[in-house]
Amino acid sequence: MATFKDFRNKVKPNWCPGCGDFSVLAAMQRAFANLGLEPEDVAIVSGIGCSGRISGYVNAYGFHGVHGRALPIAQGLKLANRDLTVVAAGGDGDGFAIGMGHTVHAIRRNVDITYIVMDNQVYGLTKGQTSPRSAMGFKTKSTPAGSIEAAISPMEMALTVGAGFVAQSVSSDLKQLTQVIEEGIKHKGFSLINVFSPCVTYNKVNTYDWFKENLVSLSEIEGYDPSDRNMAMQTLMDHNGLVTGIIYQNKDRKPYEDLIKGFKEEPLAKQDIKISKDQFDKLAAEFM
Amino acid sequence: MKKQLSWKVGGQQGEGIDSAGEILSTALNRKGYYLYGYRHFSSRIKGGHSNTKIRISTKPVRSISDELDILVAFDQETIDLNAHELVKDGIILADAKFNPTIPEGISARLIAVPFTKIAEEVGMAQMKNMVAVGASIALLGIPVEAFKEVIEERFARKGQKVVDKNMDAIARGAAFVQTEMATLPDFKLEPSDGKQRLYMIGNDAIAFGALAAGARLMAAYPITPSSEIMEWLIKRLPEFGGTVVQTEDEIAAITMVIGANYGGVRALTASAGPGLSLMTEAIGLAGMTETPAVIVNTQRGGPSTGLPTKQEQSDVLAMLYSTHGEIPKIVIAPSTAEECFYDTIEAFNLAEEYQCPVIILSDLALSLGKQTVEPLDYDRIQIRRGKLVPLDEELPELANSELFPRYEFTEDGISRRVLPGTKYGLHHVTGVEHDQTGRPSESPINRKKMMDKRLSKLKNGINFPNPVHLDAKHEEADLLIIGFCSTRGTIAEAMERLEAEGLKVNHAHIRQILPFPTEIVAEQMKKAKKVLVVENNATGQLTSLIKMNVGMADKLVHFGKYDGNPFLPSEIYNQCKELLVHGHI
């Protein structure tokens, strides 16, 4: 059986020392091993940005696509081969700016994949511009006078569009992070995991210390019930979205694959693609 | 008796014009007539003038005709807009309800048939289109019984009563015209050969071809004139375990297709100009990652939203050059519905053999024009998957936990394609320049080798049958006509008239746009004194492409049409005459 070390490869990440993404990488590798997966069972599809490089750092199948489009690539892959564990990953710019349309529709569609957003509230790879997750007033190279646009609240957004699994964690809590990734992968249907993954170079506000002071773990809230959507929404609003753990899970919602008429358990990629003479004749007859 | 004639039905969109044309043509197809149908419609659901013109013949026809013999009108606007097409002794069958009149200078005969009144007597006013069908077939000499089967199939689920009423409407329409027959010119059709053929739009053939090729996933966003492809496939794919995903936009559509092909499933998307514009970045990703992808572009009037429901061929250069950077890409352009079927199958083979995006370039007239197709041949369906390593193939263990060389340098530039899920096949895929295992690399030496590898895949031509359709019997021709996509039949018809006058005319219809079949085109151009490039665009895109690849610019004359309508045979004929007589147009 594979251990988390089997999911490591020889490539040295080009992230800055102290980058939150290192923990996300480690948590992913642990989660895969804990779930008993083998490297060839896993495919990571990532976007563009510092965090988008993550698909190249896991010893598994990896597809590093174009900016903002990890989700449709991942959904296409999962529909092609439902035996694979497909994880999409990228930054907050990738998922909530250029790719926001896909995020909303991937949630609606509910294909059984897991989406991990490494949320550092800034654009890192392009060297420090504002992101849709930057707070009002946040100063960057593109907002020298401070951002004048409201930040997106991804967890509330996900609940609103009908997500079946919504979780949040932080790079400094490897244990919880590993656990929510495991739960996200186990969840049948689309799972969204937002990870506060500090950028030590371009975000001097939302630092490890800042998160330590401001984040509340849902496990500390007495009576918190992740199956209660109202409670989830209320709690997020009460804490300005700064909570960690599984925020909401609907175990009853069927994944997309289960709702496709005629869709088989056997992956499409393994099925015979030839049509028979009888089938051909029947199809041709409808044009007569 | 007539060997061929043209019939047109027109009215406000939503008045049953389409189904009148549909029912008439289905019955005639089953009787063994050759047909070509073209719909003129607007970008709205209801209202606005709409018409369907159907050419009926005992011989193959692949073009709309200049003339019109019978016009069926549900409103005066239809007469005013279309009567000028009628032949001298043509007939207008118009609903008596609106007191139809003939515009000045039109010599056709008007017969006011109480379409609506008869339909109301039968029991349903909307059956006026069936009354019109009945009136028409009386002229054509087709018996009412020929419609029994079609009407039953179409209305069976609504009950026998509805079937009977529709048949009654047809019979009464026919009976009404029958009483006038003695005074009318003869529009009876000569008997057909009675053979069974298919009658389909290009989009049907593309969709059927994709299914036959083994495509099991389509991701697409609705757009005119390509939506029929997804609509047909969503009905048929479930039986084959596949599906159609209607995505949030065309970017999602193409990237989902890339993901599915990466996963080992033959997948396609289809769109028109605006969608293709959105897809360009991802098409580059497919090229860079050497992922197969089949993309259908049913060209329509551009730019921007342009003329969404009208014919144009103005995406040629965009299909060649719209992606940034340089990738291997194949662009093929079927010219008949039959070719749409076989070429779509080939597109999937080429995409996997050369591991690159393949664009099937169609146009509105081909995608939506309905034409007779000789029975399709099951034995011609060939599936070739190139250097794909099947999921059940066992690979040897990799030394030193190295990655699989997915992008290995090979003689033909094509590497073995291993699918996710394969043991000992791990590799990386990225749109970033990469080494042989797919890991990012900025090394100048590797960069050049990788670029050369990818581009070399298509360097020695591709395995696409009949890249140029030739009808070129003259060693020394007065004229060579070049076209692509839907203009094939129209050019052929113009050419027939020119040949009948003793002119020596050759025709080359380009089916493979990229890589460009330079040698074949050059050889034909050398044989001709003049070359007329017929294309539905303003700037002469195919003409430029020929200039660039072949040269001989002094011989080339561009003939463009970009008013939204397909060429008529007479327009091409006239231009050719002009060119041959005056040396220029």
Side-chain angles (χ1 to χ4, degrees), chain A residues 10 40 55-56 61-64 69 72-73 76-77 102 105 109 260 268-269 273 275 277 279 284 286-288, chain B residues 30 198-199 214 216 232 236 240-241 243 248 251 255-256 259-260 263 378 400 421-423 425-426 428-431:
Chain A
K10 292 177 182 168
E40 64 268 20
S55 60
Y61 281 95
F63 195 110
H64 179 227
R69 320 299 170 197
I73 296 172
L77 175 59
H102 305 310
H105 291 279
R109 196 169 288 125
I260 304 171
L268 265 185
I273 63 172
I275 66 170
K277 179 79 166 61
Q279 287 168 328
E286 71 175 84
F287 300 109
M288 287 183 181
Chain B
R30 288 187 189 176
L198 311 180
Y199 183 50
R216 293 296 175 263
W232 192 86
R236 308 298 160 219
F240 298 86
T243 193
E248 53 273 24
I251 299 174
T255 46
M256 203 174 277
Y378 177 76
N400 306 322
T422 309
K423 200 168 184 183
L426 292 191
H428 192 51
V429 176
T430 173

Side-chain angles (χ1 to χ4, degrees), chain B residues 177-237:
Chain B
V177 171
Q178 212 73 45
T179 59
E180 309 248 349
M181 283 300 270
T183 67
L184 295 175
D186 182 13
F187 281 109
K188 286 205 171 58
L189 286 166
E190 276 188 18
S192 61
D193 65 8
K195 285 202 179 126
Q196 292 303 295
R197 299 181 188 88
L198 311 180
Y199 183 50
M200 61 209 301
I201 60 171
N203 282 348
D204 291 333
I206 291 170
F208 188 13
L211 181 56
R216 293 296 175 263
L217 191 83
M218 177 174 188
Y221 188 84
I223 188 169
T224 304
S226 86
S227 301
E228 294 76 11
I229 300 171
M230 70 187 288
E231 288 165 5
W232 192 86
L233 281 169
I234 191 59
K235 278 188 268 172
R236 308 298 160 219
L237 272 175

